[in-house]
Amino acid sequence: MATHPDDPSAQIADITQILRQHDISPTKQRVEIAQMLLSRKQHLSAEQVLEEVNKRGAKVSKATIYNTLGLFARKGLIKELVVDPSKVFYDSNVSDHYHFYNVDTGELMDIEMTELNVSRLPSLPPGTRAEGVDVIIKIRNN
Amino acid sequence: MATHPDDPSAQIADITQILRQHDISPTKQRVEIAQMLLSRKQHLSAEQVLEEVNKRGAKVSKATIYNTLGLFARKGLIKELVVDPSKVFYDSNVSDHYHFYNVDTGELMDIEMTELNVSRLPSLPPGTRAEGVDVIIKIRNN
DNA sequence: CTGCTTGCAAAGGCTTTGCAGAACA
DNA sequence: TGTTCTGCAAAGCCTTTGCAAGCAG
């Protein structure tokens, strides 16, 4: 049970833990995908997730990538970010934050909540509850 | 003095005027589409625009609908609203405002700027300018 | 006339699905 | 052993495109 920080098995154990906490049974592919995604804050498309995961030696099919990303998002492990039709990104940063989206480059950047304030929220329509607030500031190169 | 796009009394002459002001040459199909769209504040998908326009007796092809909506949005006559992959709406209300999106029903509702405040906007990344701020509050039925 | 627009159908990109085999409890 | 998951390929959905005919200026 040597828990060296770099011990890959320790990381896997953590990931497994996290998945279980989110009510996701930790299969090999899911652990692989989660490990890659959660290694740092990032915004990746399904295509990019596929590339990254397979770059690490794992071989996960496209169908499983889509299924898994959808599952992770529903379970709150990651956030789904829709910036454009057919430009869906998966955000491993689940803390409350907003985004810059550069429409010229397709680049996405985080805006921390301390930097932007959404206030005077209107009351919700009756019979509904808030699911989340998406703020995307579209920018473009000069 | 041309009629404001939001004015429900906008007639064909006005529509032609408005299109010209937006640097859009007023063809029959474009006038037809603009007239329907600008008759009131609304959020419609391309499919719905097609239906509505053709319901009025005009016969506009799907390709032209897509081309025209894209053109209108680029020219600032309407706003493109992306709430979900493959859920793109075109908003005839071009004034600054935000939205509720009911993920259960697919319904979109306006939030006027007086009801919500986005403040403390962070400085933009160097070399960029703001294109617009999209705020979508996702809600769901209880 | 000359270039822009339209419409049709085909092509395209991304995502979902059906189903058989594999993995897991 | 029963259920869940995976992977492949096919299907699906929405949108764009190629190109010939039509229209505007």
Side-chain angles (χ1 to χ4, degrees):
Chain A
M1 227 170 281
T3 51
H4 187 279
D6 295 338
D7 186 347
S9 67
Q11 286 175 30
I12 292 175
D14 292 337
I15 293 289
T16 300
Q17 196 80 357
I18 292 169
L19 291 179
R20 287 227 169 82
Q21 283 166 9
H22 285 265
D23 209 27
I24 299 166
S25 58
T27 67
K28 213 162 69 154
Q29 290 85 344
R30 288 171 182 171
V31 169
E32 195 71 42
I33 295 169
Q35 204 172 1
M36 187 279 288
L37 275 176
L38 304 181
S39 65
R40 59 193 184 82
K41 292 182 185 178
Q42 54 189 331
H43 314 108
L44 300 175
S45 65
E47 195 60 38
Q48 291 174 315
V49 172
L50 180 63
E51 282 174 33
E52 285 299 320
V53 166
N54 288 346
K55 196 179 289 173
R56 293 165 139 255
K59 45 191 177 349
V60 181
S61 74
K62 190 176 274 197
T64 297
I65 294 289
Y66 277 102
N67 287 336
T68 301
L69 291 173
L71 177 68
F72 283 6
R74 275 198 309 284
K75 297 294 190 179
L77 189 61
I78 60 179
K79 277 188 180 181
E80 198 181 61
L81 244 154
V82 183
V83 292
D84 247 324
S86 76
K87 282 248 165 80
V88 182
F89 289 98
Y90 292 90
D91 189 344
S92 60
N93 178 3
V94 290
S95 72
D96 273 325
H97 67 286
Y98 309 121
H99 294 93
F100 282 123
Y101 175 59
N102 189 318
V103 296
D104 285 330
T105 65
E107 199 181 359
L108 260 179
M109 280 152 290
D110 284 346
I111 304 173
E112 291 309 321
M113 256 199 128
T114 54
E115 300 178 72
L116 184 142
N117 201 271
V118 177
S119 59
R120 216 187 315 164
L121 239 79
S123 51
L124 304 181
T128 65
R129 61 195 148 85
E131 168 102 343
V133 180
D134 290 2
V135 178
I136 297 180
I137 302 181
K138 289 187 177 155
I139 60 178
R140 121 170 310 162
N141 292 335
N142 284 327
Chain B
M1 189 59 191
T3 311
H4 186 277
D6 293 342
D7 188 334
S9 70
Q11 295 307 306
I12 293 179
D14 294 331
I15 293 288
T16 301
Q17 197 80 357
I18 293 168
L19 291 180
R20 287 226 167 81
Q21 283 168 7
H22 285 266
D23 210 28
I24 299 167
S25 59
T27 67
K28 213 162 66 152
Q29 290 84 344
R30 287 170 182 173
V31 169
E32 195 70 43
I33 295 169
Q35 204 173 1
M36 187 280 289
L37 275 176
L38 305 181
S39 65
R40 58 192 184 83
K41 293 182 185 175
Q42 54 189 331
H43 314 108
L44 301 175
S45 67
E47 194 60 37
Q48 292 173 315
V49 172
L50 180 64
E51 282 174 34
E52 286 300 319
V53 166
N54 288 346
K55 194 178 292 177
R56 294 163 139 256
K59 47 192 175 350
V60 182
S61 73
K62 191 175 273 196
T64 298
I65 294 289
Y66 278 102
N67 288 336
T68 302
L69 291 173
L71 178 68
F72 284 6
R74 275 197 308 284
K75 297 295 190 179
L77 189 61
I78 59 178
K79 277 188 179 179
E80 197 180 64
L81 243 154
V82 183
V83 293
D84 247 324
S86 75
K87 282 250 165 81
V88 183
F89 290 97
Y90 292 90
D91 189 345
S92 61
N93 177 3
V94 291
S95 72
D96 273 324
H97 67 286
Y98 309 120
H99 294 94
F100 282 123
Y101 174 58
N102 189 319
V103 296
D104 285 330
T105 65
E107 199 181 359
L108 260 179
M109 281 152 289
D110 284 346
I111 304 173
E112 291 310 320
M113 256 197 127
T114 53
E115 299 179 72
L116 184 143
N117 200 271
V118 176
S119 60
R120 215 186 316 163
L121 238 80
S123 50
L124 303 180
T128 65
R129 60 194 148 84
E131 168 100 345
V133 180
D134 290 1
V135 178
I136 297 179
I137 301 181
K138 290 188 177 154
I139 59 178
R140 125 168 307 164
N141 292 335
N142 285 326

